[in-house]
Coordinates of all heavy atoms in Angstrom, one line a residue:
D1374 N 117.7 96.1 97.6 CA 118.5 97.0 98.5 C 117.9 98.4 98.5 O 118.4 99.2 99.4 CB 120.0 97.0 97.9 CG 120.1 97.4 96.5 OD1 119.1 97.5 95.8 OD2 121.1 97.6 96.1
A1375 N 117.0 98.9 97.7 CA 116.4 100.2 97.8 C 115.1 100.1 98.6 O 114.6 101.1 99.0 CB 116.0 100.7 96.4
V1376 N 114.6 98.9 98.9 CA 113.4 98.7 99.6 C 113.7 98.5 101.1 O 113.0 99.0 101.9 CB 112.5 97.6 99.0 CG1 111.3 97.3 99.8 CG2 112.1 97.9 97.6
V1377 N 114.7 97.7 101.5 CA 115.0 97.3 102.8 C 116.4 97.7 103.0 O 117.4 97.2 102.4 CB 114.8 95.8 103.1 CG1 115.2 95.6 104.5 CG2 113.3 95.4 102.9
L1378 N 116.7 98.6 103.9 CA 118.0 99.1 104.2 C 118.4 99.0 105.6 O 117.6 99.1 106.5 CB 118.1 100.6 103.8 CG 118.1 101.0 102.5 CD1 116.6 101.7 102.2 CD2 119.1 102.0 102.0
L1379 N 119.8 98.7 105.8 CA 120.3 98.8 107.1 C 121.2 100.1 107.2 O 122.1 100.2 106.5 CB 121.2 97.5 107.4 CG 121.9 97.5 108.7 CD1 120.9 97.6 109.8 CD2 122.8 96.2 108.8
R1380 N 120.7 101.2 107.9 CA 121.4 102.3 108.0 C 121.7 102.6 109.4 O 120.9 102.8 110.2 CB 120.5 103.5 107.3 CG 121.2 104.8 107.3 CD 120.4 105.8 106.7 NE 120.0 105.6 105.3 CZ 118.8 105.9 104.6 NH1 118.0 106.6 105.3 NH2 118.6 105.6 103.4
D1381 N 123.0 102.7 109.6 CA 123.5 102.8 111.0 C 123.0 101.7 111.8 O 123.3 100.5 111.6 CB 123.2 104.1 111.6 CG 123.7 105.4 110.8 OD1 125.0 105.2 110.5 OD2 123.1 106.3 110.6
E1382 N 122.2 101.9 112.8 CA 121.6 100.9 113.6 C 120.2 100.5 113.3 O 119.5 99.7 114.0 CB 121.7 101.3 115.2 CG 123.2 101.6 115.6 CD 123.9 100.2 115.7 OE1 123.4 99.2 116.2 OE2 125.1 100.2 115.1
L1383 N 119.6 101.2 112.3 CA 118.2 101.0 112.0 C 118.0 100.2 110.7 O 118.8 100.3 109.7 CB 117.6 102.3 111.8 CG 117.4 103.2 113.0 CD1 116.8 104.6 112.5 CD2 116.5 102.5 114.0
V1384 N 117.1 99.3 110.7 CA 116.6 98.6 109.5 C 115.3 99.3 109.1 O 114.3 99.5 109.8 CB 116.2 97.2 109.8 CG1 115.8 96.5 108.6 CG2 117.5 96.4 110.4
L1385 N 115.4 99.7 107.8 CA 114.3 100.6 107.3 C 113.6 100.0 106.2 O 114.2 99.3 105.3 CB 114.9 102.0 106.8 CG 115.8 102.7 107.7 CD1 116.5 103.8 106.9 CD2 115.0 103.3 108.9
L1386 N 112.3 100.2 106.1 CA 111.5 99.7 105.0 C 111.0 100.8 104.1 O 110.3 101.7 104.7 CB 110.2 98.9 105.5 CG 109.2 98.3 104.5 CD1 109.9 97.4 103.5 CD2 108.1 97.7 105.2
G1387 N 111.3 100.8 102.9 CA 110.9 101.7 102.0 C 111.0 103.3 102.4 O 110.1 104.0 102.2
P1388 N 112.3 103.6 102.6 CA 112.5 105.0 103.0 C 112.2 106.0 101.9 O 112.0 107.2 102.2 CB 113.9 105.0 103.5 CG 114.6 103.8 102.8 CD 113.6 102.9 102.6
G1389 N 112.2 105.6 100.7 CA 112.0 106.5 99.5 C 110.5 106.6 99.2 O 110.1 107.2 98.2
G1390 N 109.6 106.0 100.0 CA 108.2 106.1 99.7 C 107.7 105.0 98.7 O 106.7 105.3 98.1
V1391 N 108.5 104.1 98.4 CA 108.1 103.1 97.4 C 107.3 101.9 97.9 O 106.8 101.1 97.1 CB 109.4 102.5 96.6 CG1 110.1 103.7 95.9 CG2 110.2 101.8 97.6
V1392 N 107.0 101.9 99.1 CA 106.4 100.8 99.8 C 105.0 101.3 100.2 O 104.9 102.3 101.0 CB 107.1 100.2 100.9 CG1 106.3 99.1 101.7 CG2 108.4 99.5 100.4
R1393 N 103.9 100.6 100.0 CA 102.6 100.8 100.5 C 102.2 99.6 101.3 O 102.3 98.5 100.8 CB 101.5 101.1 99.4 CG 101.7 102.4 98.7 CD 101.4 103.6 99.6 NE 100.2 103.5 100.2 CZ 99.8 104.4 101.2 NH1 100.7 105.4 101.6 NH2 98.6 104.3 101.9
V1394 N 101.7 99.8 102.5 CA 101.3 98.7 103.3 C 99.7 98.8 103.5 O 99.3 99.9 103.8 CB 102.0 98.7 104.7 CG1 101.4 97.5 105.6 CG2 103.4 98.6 104.6
D1395 N 99.0 97.8 103.3 CA 97.5 97.9 103.4 C 97.0 98.3 104.7 O 96.0 99.0 104.9 CB 96.8 96.6 103.0 CG 97.0 95.4 104.0 OD1 97.9 95.4 104.7 OD2 96.4 94.3 103.7
L1396 N 97.7 98.0 105.8 CA 97.4 98.4 107.1 C 97.4 100.0 107.2 O 96.5 100.6 107.9 CB 98.3 97.8 108.2 CG 97.9 98.0 109.7 CD1 96.6 97.4 109.9 CD2 99.0 97.3 110.5
D1397 N 98.4 100.6 106.5 CA 98.5 102.0 106.5 C 97.4 102.7 105.9 O 96.8 103.7 106.2 CB 99.8 102.6 105.9 CG 101.0 102.0 106.6 OD1 101.1 101.8 107.8 OD2 102.1 101.9 106.0
D1398 N 96.8 101.9 104.8 CA 95.8 102.5 103.9 C 94.6 102.5 104.9 O 93.8 103.4 104.8 CB 95.6 101.6 102.8 CG 96.7 101.8 101.7 OD1 97.5 102.7 101.7 OD2 96.8 100.8 100.9
F1399 N 94.3 101.5 105.6 CA 93.2 101.3 106.5 C 93.4 102.5 107.5 O 92.3 103.1 107.8 CB 93.1 99.9 107.1 CG 92.1 100.0 108.5 CD1 90.8 100.2 108.2 CD2 92.8 99.8 109.6 CE1 90.0 100.2 109.3 CE2 91.8 99.9 110.8 CZ 90.5 100.0 110.5
E1400 N 94.4 102.6 108.2 CA 94.6 103.7 109.2 C 94.3 105.0 108.8 O 93.7 105.8 109.4 CB 95.9 103.5 109.9 CG 96.2 102.3 110.8 CD 97.5 102.1 111.4 OE1 98.4 102.8 110.9 OE2 97.6 101.4 112.4
E1401 N 94.8 105.3 107.5 CA 94.5 106.6 106.9 C 93.1 106.8 106.6 O 92.5 107.9 106.9 CB 95.3 106.7 105.5 CG 95.3 107.9 104.8 CD 96.2 107.9 103.6 OE1 97.3 107.6 103.7 OE2 95.6 108.2 102.5
A1402 N 92.4 105.7 106.1 CA 90.9 105.9 105.9 C 90.2 106.1 107.2 O 89.2 106.8 107.2 CB 90.5 104.6 105.1
A1403 N 90.6 105.4 108.2 CA 90.0 105.6 109.6 C 90.2 107.0 110.0 O 89.1 107.5 110.6 CB 90.5 104.6 110.5
R1404 N 91.4 107.6 109.9 CA 91.6 108.9 110.3 C 90.7 109.9 109.5 O 90.1 110.8 110.1 CB 93.1 109.3 110.2 CG 94.0 109.0 111.3 CD 95.3 109.5 111.2 NE 96.1 109.2 110.1 CZ 96.8 108.1 109.8 NH1 96.8 107.2 110.9 NH2 97.4 107.8 108.8
R1405 N 90.5 109.6 108.2 CA 89.7 110.4 107.4 C 88.3 110.4 107.8 O 87.5 111.4 107.9 CB 89.9 110.0 105.9 CG 89.2 110.9 104.9 CD 89.6 110.6 103.4 NE 89.6 109.2 103.1 CZ 90.8 108.6 102.9 NH1 92.0 109.2 103.0 NH2 90.8 107.3 102.6
A1406 N 87.8 109.2 108.2 CA 86.4 109.0 108.6 C 86.2 109.7 109.9 O 85.2 110.3 110.1 CB 86.2 107.5 108.8
F1407 N 87.1 109.6 110.8 CA 87.0 110.3 112.2 C 86.9 111.8 112.0 O 86.2 112.5 112.8 CB 88.0 109.9 113.2 CG 87.9 108.4 113.6 CD1 89.0 107.6 113.6 CD2 86.6 107.9 114.1 CE1 88.9 106.3 114.1 CE2 86.6 106.6 114.5 CZ 87.7 105.8 114.5
G1408 N 87.7 112.3 111.0 CA 87.7 113.7 110.8 C 86.5 114.3 110.1 O 85.9 115.2 110.4
S1409 N 86.0 113.5 109.1 CA 84.8 113.9 108.4 C 83.5 113.5 109.1 O 82.5 114.2 108.9 CB 84.8 113.4 107.0 OG 84.4 111.9 107.1
R1410 N 83.5 112.5 109.9 CA 82.2 112.0 110.6 C 81.2 111.5 109.6 O 80.1 111.5 110.0 CB 81.8 113.0 111.5 CG 82.8 113.2 112.6 CD 82.0 114.0 113.8 NE 82.8 114.1 115.0 CZ 83.0 113.1 115.9 NH1 82.5 111.9 115.7 NH2 83.7 113.3 117.0
K1411 N 81.6 111.3 108.4 CA 80.5 110.9 107.3 C 80.4 109.4 107.3 O 81.4 108.6 107.3 CB 81.0 111.3 105.9 CG 81.0 112.9 105.7 CD 81.5 113.2 104.4 CE 81.5 114.7 104.2 NZ 82.1 115.1 102.9
P1412 N 79.2 108.8 107.4 CA 79.0 107.4 107.3 C 79.7 106.7 106.1 O 80.3 105.6 106.3 CB 77.5 107.2 107.2 CG 77.0 108.4 108.0 CD 78.0 109.6 107.5
A1413 N 79.7 107.3 105.1 CA 80.3 106.7 103.8 C 81.9 106.5 104.1 O 82.4 105.5 103.6 CB 80.2 107.5 102.5
D1414 N 82.5 107.5 104.8 CA 83.8 107.4 105.0 C 84.2 106.3 106.1 O 85.2 105.6 105.9 CB 84.4 108.7 105.5 CG 84.6 109.8 104.4 OD1 84.5 109.3 103.3 OD2 84.7 111.0 104.9

């Protein structure tokens, strides 16, 4: 009940920041790479 909430008309996943999704990790790494332009990134 702390991970998935129904608040008003919205269904929320991890509103307290307790959830990590691997797709988010990838998107964050891609943004970092585009910003740095380093091949390693």
